Structures are given as C-alpha cells and as structure tokens.
Amino acid sequence: MTTREELEAARDRLVPDVVAAGLDVLFCGINPGLLSAATGHHFARPGNRFWPVLHASGFTPRRLAPAEQDELLAYGLGITNVVARASARADELTEAEYREGGRLLEEKVLLLRPKWLAIAGVTAYRVAFGDKRAKIGPQERTIGDTRIWALPNPSGLNAHWTLPRMAEEYGRLRAAVTGG
C-alpha cells in the first residue's frame, strides 16, 4: 500500500515510456498520476480502466496489470504521455505544458514512427495540438506517416464513458490497425 507521503514525494516525477520503433499503436495518456509515478507503471490507479479496456477491445489476449506494461511491446503497443510530469489531477497542468508536451510528442512520434498515435483524452489532444474541434475517433492530422486517433480518457472520473462503450471505441481503433 502506498502512503500519502509516498504519493506526495512522487509529484513531478517522470514515468519512463514503454516504446520501441515501428509500433502499431503508441498509446498516449494525459500525464502520470501520483500512483503511477510512485510505482513507475502507467495507468496504475486501480480505478483507471485502461488495462481492462485494452483487453476488452482485443488489443491484449488477457488483462495485463500495470506492472506488466513492458509486455505491451510484444503486441506492437507502447505507452507515453502528453505531459511527462506527474500530478494528482490533470487539471493541475497548464495550457503551456500541454502545448509543449504536444511539441515533444510530435518529435517522439517522428523518431519512433508508430502506425497510430492514440491519445487517451480528446481534451488533451485539442489543447496539445491546437485543434479545438477534434472529436473522439480518427483525426485528419498526421505526424509524418503516423495517423492519430483521439480516444476517451480511461480515468474513472470520465464516468459518462462506460467500460463497454469505451471498449467499443478502442475496438474501432484496433479494427483500423488490423485492417478488419
């Protein structure tokens, strides 16, 4: 069990990316939460639905635990964040951090060249890339040859997106990736 003191000590820590060149999908969170920073594992908060949705949508053959995040590479998947620093809530981030994060993310994508960049949070995508009208789904914008898909944020705070509905949207991305 992580204590409040350990969580506060993790504020502003970085969580290493899980990446490789040529991935099918590079998933991109908004920024790491304090539990993710304390553990070093993406989407570590128990209420976060990223891992269940990834499995339910068919991206992984079983539900992975956050500590198993490196296994994603074997499935052609990776994880990064728009903003690297950890915070208790995404609303602690500034618009300038999002824009700078978008710039750095673009550099990362040009270097790694995934087929798809999947940003888990349409609002984060809108701010980071200056696209106020973006909606959930595939975007017109590309980064080099990399296509972009805005996904619903899997945070438990995003309750109007149920797990089945979210899995359906992630499944649409999976179908685009696999061509079926």
Side-chain angles (χ1 to χ4, degrees):
M1 181 86 181
T2 308
T3 67
R4 181 177 301 280
E5 292 77 25
E6 290 169 321
L7 289 176
E8 278 306 314
R11 190 174 291 278
D12 299 327
R13 265 194 214 152
L14 305 180
V15 178
D17 290 341
V18 177
V19 296
L23 294 169
D24 289 330
V25 182
L26 177 57
F27 288 97
C28 183
I30 297 171
N31 77 310
L34 297 181
L35 186 59
S36 288
T39 63
H41 303 123
H42 293 271
F43 301 104
R45 190 172 190 80
N48 193 292
R49 298 170 293 173
F50 178 78
W51 300 104
V53 166
L54 214 58
H55 172 61
S57 62
F59 274 109
T60 59
R62 65 179 179 80
R63 180 176 167 177
L64 299 177
E68 298 174 302
Q69 65 187 15
D70 291 340
E71 289 184 33
L72 289 175
L73 297 174
Y75 305 119
L77 309 172
I79 305 177
T80 189
N81 289 289
V82 175
V83 176
R85 81 169 176 93
S87 66
R89 295 177 50 105
D91 62 9
E92 295 175 28
L93 304 176
T94 67
E95 196 169 309
E97 284 180 291
Y98 278 108
R99 285 193 308 269
E100 177 64 7
R103 187 187 69 75
L104 295 172
L105 182 57
E106 191 165 331
E107 288 178 7
K108 190 178 299 185
V109 167
L110 288 170
L111 178 69
L112 296 172
R113 303 179 62 185
K115 291 178 185 147
W116 286 91
L117 172 65
I119 300 179
V122 70
T123 302
Y125 173 77
R126 288 175 184 149
V127 177
F129 291 98
D131 184 353
K132 294 182 188 332
R133 288 181 275 189
K135 294 185 178 0
I136 296 292
Q139 305 302 304
E140 288 184 27
R141 176 192 177 106
T142 62
I143 300 174
D145 293 333
T146 300
R147 303 265 334 263
I148 301 172
W149 196 292
L151 291 167
N153 183 335
S155 167
L157 298 175
N158 191 11
H160 68 277
W161 276 90
T162 64
L163 195 133
R165 211 170 134 223
M166 198 175 298
E168 185 179 317
E169 185 60 32
Y170 278 59
R172 283 188 345 118
L173 168 61
R174 184 175 172 275
V177 171
T178 61

